[in-house]
Amino acid sequence: MKKIKGLGISSGIAIGKAFVWETPSFQEVESTIDKTSIKRDIKRLNEAISTTEAQIEKLQQTFEKEVGHQYADIFSFHLALLKDKLFKNEIERIIKEERITSESAVRKVIHRIGKIFKKDEKDFLQDRRRDIMDVIERIIHNLRGSSYAKLNLFPDEIIVARDLSPSQTVSLDKKYIRGFITAIGSATSHAAIIAKALEIPAVIAGEKAITDIKSKDTVIIDGDLGEIIIKPSKKIIAEYKKKKEKLSIRKKQLLILKNEPCETLDGKRISLHANIELPEQVDAAKKYGAEGIGLYRTEYLYLNRNDLPSEEEHFVAYKKVAEKMGKEKPVIIRTIDIGGDKFISALSLRKELNPFLGWRGIRFSLERKDIFEIQLRAIFRAAVYGNLKVMFPMISTIEEVKQSHKIIRKVKDDLKNEKKKFRDDIDVGIMVETPSAALITEQLANESAFFSIGSNDLIQYTLAVDRGNEKISHLYQPCHPAVIKLISHTIENGKKKGIWTGLCGEMASIPEIACLLIGTEMDELSMAPSAIPAVKEKIRSVKYSDMKNILKKVINFDSHNKVYKYLIANISGG
Ligand code: PEP
Ligand code: MG
């Protein structure tokens, strides 16, 4: 039995047999054919390409039904490549001229593509490279007659892979797959986002995941603790089965609270909202009792595609969310937060040395006004259908807020002149996710209808610790007194100026921390939909007066560890 501590990227417990998903080796010896076999081999190639196309189309349809067309769009590039005559003709040419098998010719093409892409530094091209490799893996599997879809055939499997491409992740059939473990990745990788959307437990476990786990090994994943147990004893399996059962009973029980208010024992209310990436996730938000959408990460509209979304696409997406949530419930649309670890394939963005300190969020929007205006137009138009609000990410100076407002004024004037239907009284707020913004919230409040604290970034920038780097994850400390002080300072300034403050980073979903935030007089918390019930339960079990006292005490502690331990020990029995 062996335990590996990794990073939990999607919660829950999974117990199953490991399937180590190895990508086929492209280094195999070249196999020659004689002239008479050329025709037969080209026929094999064509059949393999058609089969691959049919498989990918099927995957796309299934996924569109289950999670929505934005995920399904991941496959558009795959299909375009398979239909591309140049691609097929090049493989055929190699078969004919070099008299080698289809597999060997396909491998040759891979090597060439590999060389071209290595020379290029742009991340979006590296994404394309992964897509091409994925298509080619599928073609080779089909040439060999081995089934790439094998993953769907064995129930209770836990997928172990070095990395999962978007297409591989979405092809995991959630009816069968219990969970997945990858060696690399981060909580904001495609794999993590899709795992959360599907509610499949997942852990990133480093290279050990690949070297220590063998196919058919029994493996346990604890997505909440970020732990993996390889070849557990019968006793441990029994323990985890019980834990899993308890979790599922608890999950059902927690849903009883769905329509109950989120308030402390002494009557302090706080709104619990959901974070979503795609309109389809509104269903989960409603299922778990979200009172609104606290963060709609709209950059997902731009990912996994080779063009930019039109105003109409934005409009349709926002209208859908607004209508699904109803006239009353607030929906906060965050304008595009590209850069950092998220890239738009449709634009050739230069690779930066420090992307998280670079051309990110509002910095991008203020320079690419054309893209920003299209999004804002759609938001103001869609606002007619519900209670939409808008906020800007990555604010670090007041000028950025003022310039954004100026663009909003222009957009509204344009819409008015064009006689378009739109709502012009929607609240415009900002994300407080840089220490500079937090420290000048008193001034920023003059320009903002609300604050939403992006603690994922606020922690990263306050502690100077890359939020996606496993190596320094011990320094990623939500309860560091510096972070708590910046949060409290923001709320105090908001209150002084009569505006409300919410928090939409991951720390809101840790029940004890959520309770501490009650003590700060936070007005709203927003989190992944499935995290809402447990947070609500905990908040309903504490007193606001106690949380205020706890905050007063811990804000003067000297470390995250001391604060966190104190919270665990003192909030509703620990
Ligand atoms: C945050 O930074 O806390 C946040 C919610 O935004 P994102 O995670 O998308 O950067
Ligand atoms: Mg952020």
Side-chain angles (χ1 to χ4, degrees):
M1 187 169 96
K2 185 165 181 183
K3 208 179 219 179
I4 301 179
K5 180 88 183 118
L7 177 71
I9 53 169
S10 181
S11 83
I13 287 174
I15 306 169
K17 293 269 181 226
F19 176 80
V20 181
W21 200 358
E22 284 160 316
T23 45
S25 163
F26 298 127
Q27 311 295 335
E28 288 169 33
V29 199
E30 209 166 272
S31 313
T32 49
I33 47 173
D34 55 40
K35 206 175 164 190
T36 53
S37 307
I38 290 178
K39 223 173 147 185
R40 191 176 49 101
D41 234 86
I42 290 179
K43 191 168 168 254
R44 279 180 61 227
L45 173 73
N46 286 329
E47 280 167 6
I49 290 179
S50 303
T51 311
T52 308
E53 211 176 310
Q55 286 168 345
I56 291 184
E57 269 166 1
K58 193 165 167 235
L59 264 179
Q60 192 176 38
Q61 283 158 12
T62 312
F63 224 71
E64 180 146 5
K65 249 189 256 147
E66 290 198 7
V67 194
H69 79 277
Q70 281 302 323
Y71 287 127
D73 266 0
I74 289 168
F75 299 108
S76 308
F77 181 81
H78 294 62
L79 290 172
L81 181 67
L82 284 162
K83 287 185 184 16
D84 187 82
K85 287 221 164 59
L86 281 176
F87 173 70
K88 204 175 84 182
N89 290 349
E90 178 61 6
I91 306 173
E92 278 191 25
R93 187 191 63 75
I94 298 174
I95 297 174
K96 279 184 206 153
E97 286 179 11
E98 303 187 23
R99 293 207 193 149
I100 55 178
T101 58
S102 303
E103 287 94 327
S104 303
V106 170
R107 271 184 222 116
K108 273 220 152 141
V109 173
I110 296 173
H111 287 307
R112 281 180 202 168
I113 291 172
K115 272 187 199 153
I116 297 167
F117 278 97
K118 254 179 219 151
K119 273 190 230 140
D120 204 296
E121 292 225 293
K122 293 187 181 83
D123 283 333
F124 85 96
L125 279 182
Q126 292 304 331
D127 283 351
R128 288 290 80 91
R129 179 178 176 269
R130 281 175 95 207
D131 289 344
I132 293 171
M133 290 308 174
D134 189 27
V135 168
I136 283 168
E137 270 178 35
R138 286 173 190 273
I139 296 174
I140 291 187
H141 273 280
N142 286 322
L143 279 166
R144 286 174 174 168
S146 62
S147 172
Y148 203 80
K150 178 212 161 293
L151 289 166
N152 298 341
L153 302 178
F154 296 92
D156 296 332
E157 271 182 340
I158 286 179
I159 306 304
V160 183
R162 181 148 209 290
D163 191 12
L164 287 174
S165 71
S167 122
Q168 285 168 329
T169 313
V170 297
S171 69
L172 303 180
D173 188 332
K174 69 173 173 175
K175 284 193 218 68
Y176 297 111
I177 301 304
R178 292 291 159 260
F180 67 79
I181 301 169
T182 58
I184 58 171
S186 79
T188 49
S189 64
H190 271 105
I193 288 152
I194 294 168
K196 276 187 213 153
L198 297 176
E199 296 184 38
I200 293 176
V203 168
I204 296 170
E207 292 302 326
K208 279 193 203 127
I210 302 297
T211 49
D212 294 4
I213 306 174
K214 305 276 170 274
S215 277
K216 298 211 164 58
D217 279 353
T218 300
V219 179
I220 297 175
I221 297 182
D222 187 329
D224 297 287
L225 297 178
E227 281 177 357
I228 293 167
I229 304 172
I230 310 164
K231 294 196 202 160
S233 62
K234 280 196 178 127
K235 194 170 149 238
I236 295 286
I237 295 179
E239 261 173 37
Y240 271 85
K241 273 191 178 156
K242 258 196 208 140
K243 201 171 160 185
K244 190 170 147 69
E245 225 174 87
K246 265 196 202 156
L247 274 179
S248 104
I249 294 171
R250 200 173 125 68
K251 222 173 155 183
K252 278 188 200 129
Q253 282 172 343
L254 281 174
L255 283 180
I256 298 169
L257 294 176
K258 188 180 158 186
N259 297 317
E260 297 298 321
C262 182
E263 67 182 18
T264 59
L265 292 170
D266 48 354
K268 172 80 173 168
R269 284 218 52 174
I270 189 163
S271 309
L272 295 189
H273 290 181
N275 294 349
I276 60 165
E277 284 77 39
L278 300 167
E280 292 73 17
Q281 288 169 318
V282 170
D283 297 336
K286 285 167 86 172
K287 173 179 148 196
Y288 290 110
E291 295 166 80
I293 302 297
L295 167 65
Y296 177 4
R297 291 183 163 102
T298 58
E299 51 279 3
Y300 282 82
L301 271 169
Y302 298 80
L303 304 183
N304 300 317
R305 56 190 293 165
N306 300 312
D307 56 352
L308 291 168
S310 64
E311 182 181 324
E312 220 40 42
E313 278 178 74
H314 281 283
F315 174 72
V316 167
Y318 307 152
K319 179 171 177 264
K320 190 170 176 183
V321 175
E323 285 179 339
K324 273 178 171 238
M325 288 305 290
K327 281 270 175 214
E328 300 300 320
K329 290 190 173 143
V331 172
I332 304 178
I333 301 189
R334 175 177 74 186
T335 58
I336 180 174
D337 185 15
I338 215 69
D341 56 355
K342 302 184 201 110
F343 297 92
I344 307 182
S345 304
L347 301 171
S348 312
L349 301 182
R350 190 172 60 83
K351 195 173 166 70
E352 299 178 301
L353 272 181
N354 289 303
F356 274 112
L357 300 180
W359 199 36
R360 206 198 143 177
I362 198 68
R363 301 170 184 185
F364 172 87
S365 296
L366 289 176
E367 210 172 307
R368 288 302 308 262
K369 293 193 184 71
D370 52 336
I371 294 176
F372 195 30
E373 283 181 18
I374 285 176
Q375 179 171 34
L376 289 171
R377 285 172 62 92
I379 295 172
F380 282 89
R381 284 176 53 213
V384 171
Y385 301 90
N387 182 9
L388 298 192
K389 300 176 193 298
V390 62
M391 67 179 174
F392 310 121
M394 191 64 188
I395 294 292
S396 55
T397 70
I398 199 150
E399 288 79 12
E400 288 163 337
V401 188
K402 288 183 177 170
Q403 283 168 31
S404 304
H405 279 288
K406 198 171 157 200
I407 296 172
I408 285 185
R409 284 196 293 275
K410 177 189 178 286
V411 161
K412 284 186 193 174
D413 282 347
D414 289 348
L415 289 171
K416 217 177 273 167
N417 292 336
E418 291 165 34
K419 301 206 169 18
K420 287 258 174 16
K421 216 163 94 179
F422 74 100
R423 191 167 157 184
D424 87 332
D425 61 345
I426 73 174
D427 286 346
V428 181
I430 62 161
M431 288 196 75
V432 176
E433 45 187 356
T434 62
S436 66
L439 290 169
I440 59 157
T441 35
E442 189 171 350
Q443 290 72 29
L444 289 170
N446 297 330
E447 310 291 330
S448 316
F450 61 90
F451 292 144
S452 180
I453 299 175
S455 57
N456 298 341
D457 281 313
L458 187 61
I459 298 165
Q460 122 163 309
Y461 296 128
T462 304
L463 281 101
V465 56
D466 180 346
R467 67 191 253 193
N469 185 341
E470 308 103 69
K471 183 100 184 104
I472 46 169
S473 60
H474 60 287
L475 291 172
Y476 191 83
Q477 303 176 341
C479 294
H480 191 295
V483 175
I484 312 278
K485 279 182 181 152
L486 288 171
I487 292 173
S488 294
H489 185 71
T490 300
I491 295 163
E492 272 164 31
N493 282 330
K495 294 249 178 283
K496 213 193 277 178
K497 295 291 178 106
I499 67 170
W500 63 268
T501 301
L503 184 143
C504 57
E506 293 301 308
M507 68 191 274
S509 59
I510 302 169
E512 291 77 10
I513 298 184
C515 290
L516 176 70
L517 295 172
I518 291 268
T520 64
E521 296 196 34
M522 182 80 70
D523 299 287
E524 174 246 29
L525 293 173
S526 193
M527 60 203 76
S530 58
I532 291 174
V535 168
K536 190 192 273 187
E537 186 197 40
K538 193 63 123 188
I539 288 175
R540 287 171 59 88
S541 75
V542 299
K543 276 191 179 160
Y544 168 54
S545 55
D546 292 342
M547 296 309 110
K548 269 179 95 156
N549 288 334
I550 288 180
L551 175 74
K552 249 189 229 158
K553 198 172 169 81
V554 301
I555 206 161
N556 295 313
F557 285 4
D558 60 10
S559 76
H560 161 88
N561 285 348
K562 284 185 193 160
V563 175
Y564 191 62
K565 268 190 200 149
Y566 191 86
L567 295 185
I568 299 295
N570 288 279
I571 292 183
S572 54

